[in-house]
Amino acid sequence: MKEKKTTHDELLIKIKNQEQKMNKAKRLYLFVSRINQLIVRIQDRKQLFQEVCDVAIEVGKFKMAWIGLINPETKEVLPVSVGGDHQDYLSIIKSISLSPVQKGGNGPAGIAMRTAKYQVCNAIEDDPVMQPWRNEALKKGFLSVMAIPIKMFETVIGVFVIYAAEKNFFDDEEIQLLDNAASDVTFALEFFEKEKMRKRAEEAVAQSEKRFHTLTEVSPVGIYRTDLTGATTYVNQRWSQIVGISFEQSMGSGWYLAIHPDDQVKLYVEWKKVVKDREKSLLEYRFIKPDGTIVWVIGQATPETDADNQIIGFIGTITDITERKQAENRFITTSKKMEAIIEAIPDMMFEINLEGKIFNYHSPNNEMLLMPPTLFIGKNVKDVLPEDAASVCFSALKEAHEKGFSRGKQYSLVLNGGVFWFELSLAPMREDEGKEQHFIVISRDITDAKLADEALLKSQERYSGLLDNLGAGIVVHAPDSSIIMCNQKASELLGRGIDNLLQSDVSNFELRFINEDNSLMVTQDFPISQIIKSKKPIKNVTLGILHSDNNNVVWVLVNGFPILDEKGNIEEAVISFIDITEQKLMDFEIKNAKEQAEAANKYKTDFLANMSHEIRTPLNGIIGFTSLLMETKLDEKQQKYMLTTNESATTLMDIVNDILDFSKIEAGKLELKIEEINLLALANQVIALFKYQATQKQIDLILNIDSNVPEFVFVDILRLKQIMVNLLGNAIKFTQKGKIQLDIEVVLPVETDFVHLRFSVKDTGIGINPKNRDKIFHSFVQEDNSTSRQFGGTGLGLAISNQLLELMDSKLELESIPGEGSNFYFCIVLRKSNSKNQLQAKSKNMMQVKPIPGSKKVLIVEDNKINMFLAKTLIQKIIPDCSILEAFDGEQAIEQYKIQQPDIILMDIQMPNKNGFEATYEIRKIEENTFTPIVALTAGIFIEEKEECLKSGMNDYITKPIIPSDLEIVLNKWLMD
């Protein structure tokens, strides 16, 4: 048969069908490709489902697509994602079920999920399976449908349903591609779930690790971890607290260094055994903390394995058992002490039960037993003691059972050495419930005490006679304060008859006691009242006894003590009285003499203060005006006269200063004022003071300071200068030729903060006779009268220097050869200064005092005309353009202040009508918005007077005689801005 030839139209149709098929295949491959891309990109199930549906519509060109998941409880399929032209199709067709008996369970989706295989319906209008949904599907233009089960780990969890707008749309190739796409979705879902499981596992591990660290950090025991070699890789906070070293110090083998030396070998051997045998370890050992504290621990280590059960290290704990160890040691010590105590007890001890059976015994001397111990252990008391002694023992046993103790019951035994007396003490032993109660019996040999009691009875008469002849009064009181015994001396001191005293107690005492301040003593303060109240002794209480018959007071020293019974209650109180009337009268005289001496010392101090003012006031004028005169043009003779006058006044001032210094030191009112100074500058300044005198006498004056002497130190500059001036002044005075040398040297190695210095003044003068060396350090004394007449002076210089050195914890030493010279020296410890530049700058600023420019109003308040004239002269030299106002007492000063409003006030202290303190107080009261500096002009040098100046409202002070440079510094301080 001849093959039919294909027409052109048929060929075109065939080609068109092929093109459609190819386009369809390309579209499906692209759809699958996009699905794979989604799987790689998306990590969220919900997003994956939605985008699969969207790709099915956009790339696969399906009419509609949806994905539903099975509800495990209802077995219904709930749509979770939908794409395409659904137009509420899913809500109209209602639910789809897995159950074949339900309407929604027999469609393509229900069958696909039950059978776990895809279902295809290529003709919705004809397929009976689609009968329940056919009309709605056709309305939407759905002609073909494919349902593919969605699986996860071989279990169907949902369905992927695709609708096409063409009939017979799903061929074999397309079905296979769509089934593969569903498999890719399954892969993605399984991947998501595995990731979730992995993350949960990681979180679980992290949580486990966190819980581990939390538990270890709050654990009450120390926890550590090591590698196989025993090197530490982790310790918790409690471990560090127990051992006393930080986490970093404990890493590696660092922890081993904290082990007690005596335990290191033991622990090393144990650890080697643990590492070798891979077994648990339990060991007690000690650590030594950095502060030396010893800590006992019980440590254990357990092998740590990995997933393959291979040991990778060890985990261990340490528990602080220090208290337990200390308790064990105390128990052992206590046990040893108890054993020693029991062995040392001289009494016999027995353990018996209530029936009298003997179980144990202890005795330091078996000779006191009626039979050997082996014969009476296990027997009854009545079988080993005579009847009368056993009766006493049972009586005590009964009392101990009823009252909890028994004491004082006595019995006697006839032994080889004669009759012996014993006293029983019984107490029940503490036993567990259910056990038979036992008693401890102590049998004490009181034979000697019995004999002593008899001897005491015989000696009571002798003691009564002794008490009556004692020099002290003895009174014995009962607990109610009544007197039960007193001797004759007590009757004499108390001024009452013995019979009268024996009838007295505190409630009816007719005695009157006097306190030391001569006030009448109240009853509750009586000696017996104090003892009864406190139950404690009284010692050396002084009181007076007022005798009513002659109103005389007898002073006595009282001692007393209570005698307490076993319960701590007073049985008796014994009080003794010793007559100290003569001593008390002597004390009164001494007290009066002391008060008189203190008053005299105050009068002397006041006198010296007044004398200081009275002497310094004229000296202020003499020294001031002679100094001013020497600055004028004088001929040689006048200059010499003025110099002599000035030096004489200065010498007189030195004498006054010596007397006042000595007085202050004697009164204990001189205190050191420690400040930062330039020691080298001070030494040069002191040498400069004596250069002129040394040159006049043709004596070499040498200063020698060691190179290692610090330049700046802390010291009282005034007192150190005073000592050096005294020593150099004496050397100049007593040296007629040769040289004088001041040496300052370090006598011990220089310390960081302190330096030990020796100051030495050597001269080639007359020297000092050895017998007079102690004499010259006494007040107002020189070597002999000829020295005083020849050289002058008060004889106070060395005494004052030595007393000043005492305040510096030092003293003046002397080496001297008569006719060859002397060496006075002393050693002091001074604190070094580091503020060199600051002190230099301060000294430089003090030296560079600038003249005060401009016109200033200066009010001078001074009742002495000479001192007024001197002050005006000096101020006019310092402030050339000043306006000086005068006031001769405090009242005039107040009036001048009100009218003139001066820039500064120089205020004398001691003035008539109103003194400087009162005037200053009044001025400060009337000051409003202004401030005027007030500087005291004081002839007093007591520190109290200077402090009083500042307290009264003054701002500064200048001591008379006025030194021009001091005045210049003060004026610059308060008048220069």
Side-chain angles (χ1 to χ4, degrees):
M1 186 175 175
K2 191 176 181 180
E3 183 176 350
K4 186 178 179 182
K5 200 171 188 178
T6 305
T7 66
H8 180 266
D9 292 337
E10 290 176 337
L11 182 61
L12 288 175
I13 292 172
K14 189 174 183 180
I15 292 172
K16 186 178 180 179
N17 289 335
Q18 287 293 337
E19 285 179 356
Q20 289 177 348
K21 191 173 183 180
M22 288 182 64
N23 289 334
K24 183 179 178 181
K26 284 173 64 177
R27 189 177 73 248
L28 289 174
Y29 277 112
L30 181 58
F31 168 67
V32 174
S33 176
R34 287 289 299 275
I35 293 295
N36 288 328
Q37 291 176 13
L38 292 178
I39 292 170
V40 174
R41 176 170 58 83
I42 295 173
Q43 296 183 355
D44 177 74
R45 176 193 285 190
K46 183 177 180 181
Q47 185 181 359
L48 173 65
F49 288 161
Q50 186 59 54
E51 293 204 20
V52 165
C53 291
D54 292 341
V55 169
I57 303 304
E58 294 170 8
V59 180
K61 303 301 181 182
F62 295 109
K63 187 74 173 174
M64 187 185 81
W66 64 274
I67 293 176
L69 295 180
I70 299 171
N71 184 323
E73 295 179 359
T74 63
K75 301 302 180 181
E76 292 182 345
V77 178
L78 304 176
V80 295
S81 299
V82 61
D85 187 14
H86 53 85
Q87 298 179 7
D88 298 327
Y89 173 74
L90 294 178
S91 62
I92 295 172
I93 65 172
K94 298 184 179 179
S95 62
I96 297 172
S97 174
L98 290 181
S99 174
V101 298
Q102 293 186 13
K103 176 182 177 182
N106 293 310
I111 297 170
M113 288 186 290
R114 285 199 302 276
T115 61
K117 294 180 180 181
Y118 65 83
Q119 294 293 314
V120 177
C121 178
N122 270 326
I124 291 178
E125 60 181 350
D126 300 325
D127 196 328
V129 172
M130 288 296 294
Q131 191 275 331
W133 306 282
R134 178 179 300 127
N135 293 335
E136 289 299 327
L138 294 177
K139 285 180 184 179
K140 305 296 184 185
F142 305 153
L143 301 180
S144 300
V145 63
M146 180 176 179
I148 309 168
I150 299 175
K151 301 178 183 178
M152 190 168 66
F153 302 116
E154 301 301 327
T155 300
V156 176
I157 65 168
V159 65
F160 179 25
V161 184
I162 306 168
Y163 294 87
E166 300 175 22
K167 198 174 181 181
N168 298 317
F169 181 84
F170 300 100
D171 57 20
D172 292 341
E173 184 178 7
E174 187 161 354
I175 290 171
Q176 186 62 46
L177 286 172
L178 291 172
D179 193 37
N180 290 341
S183 298
D184 292 339
V185 172
T186 295
F187 170 79
L189 292 175
E190 292 178 351
F191 176 77
F192 293 162
E193 191 63 26
K194 289 177 181 177
E195 276 296 295
K196 286 171 63 177
M197 293 171 64
R198 182 185 63 79
K199 288 181 178 179
R200 284 198 293 268
E202 288 179 352
E203 289 175 0
V205 170
Q207 284 294 109
S208 176
E209 190 71 18
K210 184 177 179 181
R211 285 195 297 272
F212 171 75
H213 282 286
T214 302
L215 287 171
T216 58
E217 290 306 316
V218 300
S219 173
V221 299
I223 300 174
Y224 64 90
R225 177 179 281 163
T226 73
D227 59 18
L228 276 173
T229 66
T232 307
T233 59
Y234 168 79
V235 296
N236 69 344
Q237 184 177 356
R238 179 57 179 157
W239 191 96
S240 295
Q241 290 174 350
I242 294 173
V243 180
I245 61 176
S246 67
F247 180 90
E248 292 75 13
Q249 292 172 316
S250 64
M251 290 299 97
S253 59
W255 64 277
Y256 189 75
L257 301 177
I259 300 297
H260 193 288
D262 295 345
D263 294 342
Q264 287 179 352
V265 174
K266 174 176 70 174
L267 188 62
Y268 178 73
V269 172
E270 178 70 13
W271 190 256
K272 282 182 65 177
K273 179 181 176 183
V274 170
V275 174
K276 179 181 177 182
D277 298 339
R278 304 292 198 267
E279 294 180 353
K280 290 184 179 180
S281 166
L282 189 66
L283 186 66
E284 292 183 3
Y285 53 94
R286 291 165 289 177
F287 285 104
I288 298 182
K289 288 187 172 183
D291 62 1
T293 304
I294 295 177
V295 180
W296 273 96
V297 301
I298 181 169
Q300 58 180 341
T302 303
E304 181 182 9
T305 58
D306 58 13
D308 298 327
N309 204 29
Q310 296 296 314
I311 296 178
I312 58 173
F314 296 88
I315 294 178
T317 62
I318 58 170
T319 303
D320 189 346
I321 59 169
T322 306
E323 291 187 4
R324 192 201 81 193
K325 278 291 184 179
Q326 291 172 346
E328 288 177 358
N329 292 335
R330 287 195 297 270
F331 176 76
I332 293 171
T333 303
T334 303
S335 297
K336 290 181 178 179
K337 285 182 180 178
M338 290 302 298
E339 291 175 3
I341 290 171
I342 291 173
E343 290 298 323
I345 291 176
D347 306 324
M348 292 182 289
M349 296 178 63
F350 298 88
E351 179 185 349
I352 65 177
N353 64 6
L354 192 58
E355 286 72 35
K357 183 179 179 180
I358 302 172
F359 293 91
N360 290 306
Y361 99 102
H362 161 80
S363 175
N365 183 9
N366 288 337
E367 294 178 0
M368 305 299 293
L369 300 175
L370 292 173
M371 61 182 67
T374 54
L375 297 180
F376 66 75
I377 293 294
K379 292 188 176 181
N380 198 286
V381 170
K382 63 186 177 183
D383 297 328
V384 298
L385 288 178
E387 184 178 353
D388 54 348
S391 176
V392 171
C393 185
F394 277 107
S395 174
L397 190 62
K398 181 181 178 183
E399 183 179 35
H401 177 65
E402 294 173 351
K403 296 183 178 181
F405 64 91
S406 176
R407 298 188 190 94
K409 296 190 182 300
Q410 300 176 359
Y411 65 91
S412 61
L413 294 176
V414 179
L415 304 175
N416 293 334
V419 177
F420 288 82
W421 280 91
F422 300 89
E423 184 175 87
L424 294 176
S425 295
L426 279 78
M429 297 174 64
R430 292 185 179 180
E431 300 285 359
D432 295 335
E433 292 185 7
K435 277 193 173 183
E436 179 186 48
Q437 188 174 33
H438 287 194
F439 296 81
I440 288 292
V441 180
I442 296 177
S443 178
R444 176 170 297 168
D445 181 3
I446 59 169
T447 305
D448 292 341
K450 276 286 187 179
L451 295 175
D453 287 343
E454 293 176 2
L456 181 62
L457 291 173
K458 293 179 182 178
S459 65
Q460 280 183 343
E461 294 181 1
R462 293 197 301 270
Y463 290 147
S464 295
L466 178 63
L467 281 175
D468 286 336
N469 289 282
L470 277 178
I474 304 295
V475 177
V476 180
H477 290 268
D480 62 356
S481 79
S482 61
I483 298 175
I484 56 177
M485 192 278 287
C486 67
N487 65 353
Q488 185 61 38
K489 187 65 177 178
S491 172
E492 295 172 5
L493 293 175
L494 295 172
R496 302 274 301 280
I498 292 178
D499 292 339
N500 185 273
L501 288 173
L502 293 177
Q503 299 173 6
S504 302
D505 57 30
V506 170
S507 62
N508 62 7
F509 266 176
E510 296 179 3
L511 297 173
R512 287 190 290 173
F513 291 140
I514 307 296
N515 294 308
E516 285 194 273
D517 61 359
N518 290 316
S519 63
L520 192 64
M521 183 179 291
V522 296
T523 304
Q524 54 264 35
D525 290 339
F526 281 12
I528 182 59
S529 300
Q530 294 184 43
I531 293 175
I532 291 174
K533 181 180 179 181
S534 67
K535 296 184 180 180
K536 293 181 180 179
I538 58 172
K539 295 183 180 179
N540 299 329
V541 176
T542 300
L543 56 83
I545 304 171
L546 182 61
H547 287 196
S548 57
D549 54 348
N550 55 16
N551 284 329
N552 289 336
V553 176
V554 177
W555 289 96
V556 293
L557 187 67
V558 181
N559 286 275
F561 61 92
I563 299 174
L564 305 178
D565 61 16
E566 295 173 350
K567 297 180 179 179
N569 298 319
I570 294 178
E571 289 186 336
E572 295 177 351
V574 181
I575 299 177
S576 67
F577 301 88
I578 299 176
D579 189 351
I580 59 168
T581 304
E582 291 185 6
Q583 177 185 338
K584 194 66 178 176
L585 294 175
M586 188 179 300
D587 289 343
F588 287 147
E589 292 178 3
I590 292 172
K591 181 180 179 182
N592 291 333
K594 179 184 177 185
E595 291 174 351
Q596 292 174 4
E598 289 174 347
N601 189 55
K602 184 177 184 304
Y603 295 147
K604 182 191 76 171
T605 302
D606 295 342
F607 170 77
L608 288 173
N610 290 329
M611 287 301 299
S612 166
H613 182 271
E614 296 301 326
I615 295 173
R616 282 170 174 271
T617 298
L619 280 178
N620 182 45
I622 296 170
I623 294 173
F625 279 113
T626 52
S627 298
L628 291 173
L629 274 172
M630 286 189 292
E631 294 178 5
T632 63
K633 292 181 179 181
L634 300 175
D635 58 33
E636 184 179 350
K637 183 178 289 187
Q638 290 171 331
Q639 184 76 24
K640 185 176 181 181
Y641 290 166
M642 281 298 102
L643 178 62
T644 302
T645 304
N646 186 270
E647 287 179 349
S648 298
T650 303
T651 301
L652 180 57
M653 181 63 70
D654 290 340
I655 293 171
V656 172
N657 287 341
D658 282 349
I659 294 172
L660 290 173
D661 279 347
F662 181 75
S663 175
K664 284 192 289 182
I665 293 171
E666 270 196 334
K669 294 183 177 180
L670 192 143
E671 296 181 358
L672 298 180
K673 182 182 178 183
I674 306 300
E675 57 184 329
E676 193 176 17
I677 71 158
N678 186 325
L679 181 60
L680 276 58
L682 174 64
N684 281 282
Q685 181 186 1
V686 172
I687 289 294
L689 291 175
F690 296 98
K691 275 289 185 183
Y692 177 77
Q693 296 180 53
T695 303
Q696 291 293 103
K697 298 181 75 170
Q698 297 182 340
I699 298 170
D700 293 331
L701 186 57
I702 303 168
L703 173 63
N704 178 37
I705 303 177
D706 278 2
S707 59
N708 57 347
V709 172
E711 184 175 1
F712 297 95
V713 294
F714 285 90
V715 72
D716 187 326
I717 185 172
L718 178 64
R719 298 309 174 186
L720 181 58
K721 179 179 179 180
Q722 186 176 354
I723 295 168
M724 291 193 290
V725 167
N726 276 338
L727 297 181
L728 284 169
N730 283 346
I732 290 284
K733 185 189 299 184
F734 297 113
T735 302
Q736 303 303 322
K737 62 179 180 178
K739 67 176 182 177
I740 297 171
Q741 182 169 320
L742 170 61
D743 292 329
I744 305 176
E745 56 186 340
V746 177
V747 293
L748 289 174
V750 178
E751 298 178 7
T752 303
D753 298 319
F754 293 89
V755 62
H756 297 250
L757 298 178
R758 178 164 61 191
F759 292 76
S760 171
V761 176
K762 303 182 181 73
D763 66 56
T764 56
I766 61 175
I768 298 170
N769 195 308
K771 67 180 182 180
N772 293 325
R773 288 188 181 180
D774 294 332
K775 183 179 177 183
I776 63 172
F777 291 108
H778 294 166
S779 307
F780 304 104
V781 176
Q782 292 187 343
E783 187 175 5
D784 56 39
N785 292 334
S786 63
T787 302
S788 179
R789 289 192 297 272
Q790 181 179 355
F791 297 101
T794 62
L796 283 174
L798 292 178
I800 291 173
S801 297
N802 218 8
Q803 288 172 321
L804 290 175
L805 284 170
E806 283 186 17
L807 296 176
M808 302 179 189
D809 297 324
S810 182
K811 66 177 181 177
L812 201 56
E813 304 282 357
L814 169 64
E815 296 174 354
S816 183
I817 299 175
E820 295 185 14
S822 303
N823 176 18
F824 286 88
Y825 63 92
F826 60 91
C827 297
I828 56 176
V829 180
L830 301 179
R831 185 160 63 93
K832 296 190 295 182
S833 169
N834 296 322
S835 55
K836 177 176 179 181
N837 296 332
Q838 293 179 9
L839 192 58
Q840 285 178 330
K842 180 180 177 183
S843 302
K844 185 175 181 181
N845 292 335
M846 290 178 64
M847 295 299 294
Q848 296 176 349
V849 179
K850 297 179 181 179
I852 301 174
S855 177
K856 303 288 183 181
K857 284 184 183 180
V858 181
L859 172 59
I860 304 174
V861 187
E862 172 65 68
D863 66 322
N864 185 282
K865 292 183 179 180
I866 296 174
N867 285 338
M868 172 69 81
F869 181 47
L870 175 61
K872 287 169 57 179
T873 305
L874 293 174
I875 291 171
Q876 285 171 340
K877 291 187 67 177
I878 299 169
I879 315 174
D881 296 331
C882 70
S883 174
I884 296 180
L885 309 171
E886 298 181 18
F888 291 94
D889 60 26
E891 291 181 352
Q892 292 182 16
I894 296 168
E895 292 302 318
Q896 286 279 32
Y897 172 78
K898 291 178 180 178
I899 298 169
Q900 300 292 342
Q901 291 292 310
D903 296 304
I904 192 168
I905 302 173
L906 301 182
M907 180 78 73
D908 188 23
I909 301 301
Q910 295 188 17
M911 296 182 294
N913 298 327
K914 195 182 289 285
N915 63 32
F917 297 139
E918 296 168 334
T920 299
Y921 178 74
E922 293 291 332
I923 290 172
R924 293 301 184 213
K925 277 178 64 178
I926 61 179
E927 270 184 337
E928 293 181 355
N929 298 323
T930 60
F931 167 74
T932 304
I934 301 177
V935 179
L937 294 175
T938 173
I941 63 169
F942 285 119
I943 190 67
E944 295 89 345
E945 184 171 335
K946 295 177 180 178
E947 290 176 352
E948 187 65 27
C949 292
L950 300 177
K951 287 180 181 178
S952 69
M954 298 182 184
N955 305 102
D956 215 330
Y957 56 83
I958 297 175
T959 305
K960 298 176 184 178
I962 299 173
I963 299 172
S965 61
D966 290 346
L967 179 60
E968 189 173 5
I969 290 171
V970 169
L971 291 175
N972 270 275
K973 175 181 178 182
W974 294 105
L975 292 178
M976 294 290 286
D977 293 333

